[in-house]
């Protein structure tokens, strides 16, 4: 009988915790999880670097500049930080940015 009561209590208390955990994102707030992300292609200009581009576009992304640089490299299949003017780069921006 004690086993049945213990199982019942675990079920009653554990189920809401399990359901709540499905909707949470580790390390991200609900506000960051709700950010709509869009993608566009930009032409790399003379003097641009991944870091300067990341600094421009990461503002409302929920990422740091370092995280955004890693994402840029991943999105564009780059292994190095080297980019060349005249080439194109896919960047991510949010619906909160005024001018992508």
């Amino acid at each position: 009988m004690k086993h049945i009561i213990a199982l019942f209590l675990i079920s009653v208390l554990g189920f809401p915790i399990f359901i709540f955990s499905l909707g949470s994102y580790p390390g991200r707030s609900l506000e960051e999880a709700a950010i709509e992300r869009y993608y566009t292609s930009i032409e790399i200009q003379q003097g641009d670097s991944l870091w300067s581009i990341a600094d421009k576009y990461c503002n409302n992304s929920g990422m740091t500049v370092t995280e955004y640089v890693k994402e840029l490299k991943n999105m564009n299949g780059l292994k190095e930080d080297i980019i060349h003017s005249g080439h194109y780069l896919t960047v991510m921006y949010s619906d909160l940015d005024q001018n992508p």
Side-chain angles (χ1 to χ4, degrees):
M1 184 67 175
K2 289 181 183 180
H3 293 291
I4 294 173
I5 293 172
L7 185 60
F8 175 76
L9 288 175
I10 290 171
S11 298
V12 170
L13 297 175
F15 184 72
I17 293 170
F18 173 73
I19 295 300
F20 179 77
S21 70
L22 290 177
S24 65
Y25 299 95
R28 294 176 63 188
S29 70
L30 291 177
E31 187 176 296
E32 289 173 339
I35 295 172
E36 291 290 330
R37 294 185 174 158
Y38 302 95
Y39 300 86
T40 191
S41 183
I42 62 165
E43 183 176 2
I44 300 168
Q45 303 298 312
Q46 184 70 31
D48 280 348
S49 69
L50 288 179
W51 295 90
S52 66
I53 292 169
D55 189 47
K56 179 178 179 181
Y57 287 96
C58 80
N59 294 332
N60 294 310
S61 69
M63 292 186 234
T64 66
V65 173
T66 302
E67 292 168 334
Y68 194 93
V69 167
K70 288 180 184 178
E71 185 65 23
L72 278 175
K73 289 171 71 172
N74 185 45
M75 283 189 301
N76 291 281
L78 301 173
K79 295 187 184 353
E80 304 290 328
D81 288 358
I82 300 168
I83 56 175
H84 302 282
S85 61
H87 291 189
Y88 287 85
L89 197 65
T90 299
V91 296
M92 176 180 51
Y93 63 96
S94 76
D95 57 349
L96 302 174
D97 291 325
Q98 294 177 5
N99 294 317

